[in-house]
Amino acid sequence: MILTENKLKELTLAADVLSKAHRQTRFFSTGQQASVFLSHKHDEISQLKRVAYILEELHASIYVDWLDNSMPQKTSGTTAAIIKQQIQKYDKFILVATNGAIDSKWCNWELGYGDAQKFDLGKIALFPIAQKIITGKVLNICKYIQLFNIILEQKDIQTGI
């Protein structure tokens, strides 16, 4: 079953998702079990922080672009070049797959590049999050289900990284 936002909140009660200071003082961990490039929609920070919290609890090193001081203030060709370098550098690629992210051109560009770099290695996955489950209505993610690994349960997270 796809994780709902409410279930994600239940699993991450200790995650600091509201503090702006957390956003500014968080650092990239190093020397951990696995390294993960997290692709996400920029206005969905709460979901991103909760997914990052779960991965960090499993001792994964996380890359999130808005924490990278080398990123330009405005999106440009330099932004794309840095994103490409980081996708190549990190072991795995995970898209925080909300409907907003699936509809985002930028997230789809990252997913396409991640696919080219990680698919043959089996190191790309989607972490779908539904606002709520409505019978008969599904996430836009369905178009990707046959293409990528999908993280649906905690065991998928543990084996995925």
Side-chain angles (χ1 to χ4, degrees), residues 39-110:
S39 178
H40 64 287
K41 185 140 176 23
H42 276 241
D43 62 357
E44 298 176 338
I45 298 301
S46 175
Q47 295 94 325
L48 169 73
K49 284 185 173 184
R50 291 180 189 284
V51 171
Y53 175 83
I54 290 170
L55 295 172
E56 287 172 339
E57 287 294 301
L58 296 169
H59 306 290
S61 172
I62 306 298
Y63 175 85
V64 179
D65 58 358
W66 50 260
L67 294 174
D68 187 343
N69 292 330
S70 70
M71 281 290 185
Q73 291 294 321
K74 286 190 163 195
T75 304
S76 66
T78 302
T79 306
I82 293 170
I83 293 291
K84 285 180 177 182
Q85 289 171 344
Q86 296 303 330
I87 289 172
Q88 290 171 3
K89 176 182 171 184
Y90 280 73
D91 298 325
K92 300 180 186 250
F93 179 100
I94 296 176
L95 171 64
V96 180
T98 60
N99 275 335
I102 296 297
D103 291 340
S104 162
K105 290 178 182 165
W106 191 253
C107 288
N108 273 278
W109 176 84
E110 288 179 352

Side-chain angles (χ1 to χ4, degrees), residues 3-157:
L3 199 62
T4 64
E5 282 188 30
N6 286 336
K7 184 64 177 177
L8 181 62
K9 287 176 184 176
E10 270 180 45
L11 293 171
T12 58
L13 292 175
D16 179 6
V17 297
L18 302 176
S19 167
K20 290 187 181 192
H22 180 252
R23 183 184 312 182
Q24 294 166 352
T25 60
R26 190 166 165 198
F27 58 92
F28 303 144
S29 45
T30 57
Q32 301 291 327
Q33 184 177 20
S35 63
V36 179
F37 179 99
L38 269 181
S39 178
H40 64 287
K41 185 140 176 23
H42 276 241
D43 62 357
E44 298 176 338
I45 298 301
S46 175
Q47 295 94 325
L48 169 73
K49 284 185 173 184
R50 291 180 189 284
V51 171
Y53 175 83
I54 290 170
L55 295 172
E56 287 172 339
E57 287 294 301
L58 296 169
H59 306 290
S61 172
I62 306 298
Y63 175 85
V64 179
D65 58 358
W66 50 260
L67 294 174
D68 187 343
N69 292 330
S70 70
M71 281 290 185
Q73 291 294 321
K74 286 190 163 195
T75 304
S76 66
T78 302
T79 306
I82 293 170
I83 293 291
K84 285 180 177 182
Q85 289 171 344
Q86 296 303 330
I87 289 172
Q88 290 171 3
K89 176 182 171 184
Y90 280 73
D91 298 325
K92 300 180 186 250
F93 179 100
I94 296 176
L95 171 64
V96 180
T98 60
N99 275 335
I102 296 297
D103 291 340
S104 162
K105 290 178 182 165
W106 191 253
C107 288
N108 273 278
W109 176 84
E110 288 179 352
L111 182 62
Y113 191 77
D115 179 34
Q117 299 301 309
K118 307 294 182 187
F119 184 80
D120 288 343
L121 304 171
K123 296 185 175 193
I124 186 169
L126 305 181
F127 194 119
I129 301 170
Q131 204 167 25
K132 56 185 170 183
I133 300 297
I134 301 170
T135 305
K137 190 173 182 178
V138 294
L139 277 171
N140 294 341
I141 195 172
C142 290
K143 59 187 173 187
Y144 294 120
I145 285 183
Q146 294 181 344
L147 299 175
F148 300 106
N149 293 321
I150 308 292
I151 298 170
L152 296 175
E153 299 179 1
Q154 188 153 2
K155 69 176 179 59
D156 297 330
I157 297 167

